Amino acid sequence: MSSWRLLRVLLHLVIGLWTCAVVFPMTDSAGRQRRIRLWSIQLLAICRVQVTLRNPQNSVAAARALIVANHVSWLDIFVINSIQTCQFVGKSDIRDWPLLGWLCEKGGTIFIARGKQRDVRRIFQGLVTSIEAGARVAFFPEGTTAAQGSVLPFHANLFEAALDAKAPIQPYALRYLDQHGALHPAADFIGDMTFAQSMLAILKAPPMKAELIQLAPIDTTGSHRRELAVIARSSIAEALGLVEKDTVES
């Protein structure tokens, strides 16, 4: 059955490629967002990932916001997009993923080279402009994926975009559970694991539930980016049941 699901994933990727190449140039932003959301929902269904949104009442009133979440897997982008599409900021490695990297790029993902401050400065003003224009920009402040049961230090740099755009921050806590409510081991995408290995592990594993916990929005008025990073990380760690010292990197 995993072979059949893999074939379905490949066919779904081909449909996504065709949509990006042929349909996107002829549709508006709202049309592209609808298609991205539907495509994400369908991909997760093929992978047997059921998404549950907790605390929907915590959504920010304003359409524009800076979305932040802990980072577990390549699935995270599609879990969030299945609820509401965002313009993601991702590490440049994603662009090299077979097929999916190109799809992420065409879906509006902005790529940053890890450890290159020049890259951060180059895209920063573009993020501010996007948020001011009403976009929901999302990024993973850990900068890389972490095994479930932990949250890495948050990088504070991109929190500055919310300050400049005078926009709130909407934090999400994300975890993947098995049928017994325990953390699902197949979700972890860490170490030297390749995208292909992760995909096969998910397709072979029992179904999982992606639990997306929408936390209280954070007002950015009069704050500093490091302070915002600490507050966001603390709220996410608490929602995941982790008791850790707040950690943040500039």
Side-chain angles (χ1 to χ4, degrees):
M1 289 300 293
S2 59
S3 298
W4 168 239
R5 285 192 292 274
L6 178 58
L7 177 59
R8 291 180 62 196
V9 168
L10 293 175
L11 290 173
H12 193 56
L13 288 173
V14 170
I15 292 172
L17 294 170
W18 182 86
T19 301
C20 289
V22 178
V23 179
F24 274 18
M26 298 187 296
T27 189
D28 59 10
S29 176
R32 288 192 292 272
Q33 289 182 16
R34 284 194 302 270
R35 286 169 173 82
I36 289 171
R37 181 170 183 265
L38 178 60
W39 193 90
S40 298
I41 292 172
Q42 292 170 339
L43 175 65
L44 294 171
I46 296 171
C47 294
R48 298 187 300 170
V49 178
Q50 177 188 359
V51 179
T52 300
L53 176 65
R54 287 179 50 189
N55 305 334
Q57 72 278 4
N58 281 336
S59 178
V60 291
R64 63 196 186 97
L66 181 66
I67 312 295
V68 299
N70 61 301
H71 200 9
V72 177
S73 167
W74 57 268
L75 289 168
D76 301 347
I77 291 175
F78 305 104
V79 169
I80 294 174
N81 270 342
S82 73
I83 300 299
Q84 185 169 25
T85 54
C86 300
Q87 182 179 15
F88 278 89
V89 180
K91 56 185 181 180
S92 57
D93 307 37
I94 296 174
R95 189 188 279 116
D96 298 327
W97 291 352
L99 300 180
L100 203 55
W102 189 83
L103 284 174
C104 288
E105 182 176 9
K106 294 302 178 182
T109 299
I110 301 169
F111 298 108
I112 297 181
R114 185 185 302 173
K116 292 187 178 180
Q117 292 301 314
R118 182 180 301 177
D119 243 23
V120 174
R121 291 193 296 271
R122 177 177 57 82
I123 71 164
F124 179 80
Q125 188 54 50
L127 296 181
V128 174
T129 301
S130 293
I131 297 173
E132 289 176 336
R136 293 173 69 88
V137 173
F139 80 105
F140 302 105
E142 291 166 287
T144 187
T145 52
Q148 296 202 83
S150 64
V151 179
L152 297 177
F154 274 16
H155 297 275
N157 283 336
L158 293 183
F159 283 87
E160 191 78 30
L163 292 171
D164 283 16
K166 297 179 174 58
I169 292 170
Q170 176 68 76
Y172 285 108
L174 180 59
R175 59 188 169 197
Y176 297 87
L177 307 175
D178 63 19
Q179 60 180 339
H180 304 296
L183 297 176
H184 201 305
D188 287 348
F189 181 38
I190 56 176
D192 296 328
M193 178 178 282
T194 65
F195 169 74
Q197 290 171 333
S198 176
M199 171 66 77
L200 289 175
I202 290 168
L203 294 178
K204 292 178 180 178
M208 67 178 72
K209 180 174 76 172
E211 190 175 60
L212 190 62
I213 308 170
Q214 192 163 247
L215 305 173
I218 302 170
D219 184 12
T220 59
T221 306
S223 299
H224 186 275
R225 66 186 186 188
R226 290 179 60 84
E227 177 187 2
L228 294 173
V230 167
I231 294 172
R233 184 181 184 277
S234 296
S235 63
I236 290 171
E238 181 179 359
L240 295 174
L242 305 177
V243 180
E244 298 180 341
K245 183 179 179 181
D246 293 330
T247 308
V248 63
E249 295 186 359
S250 59

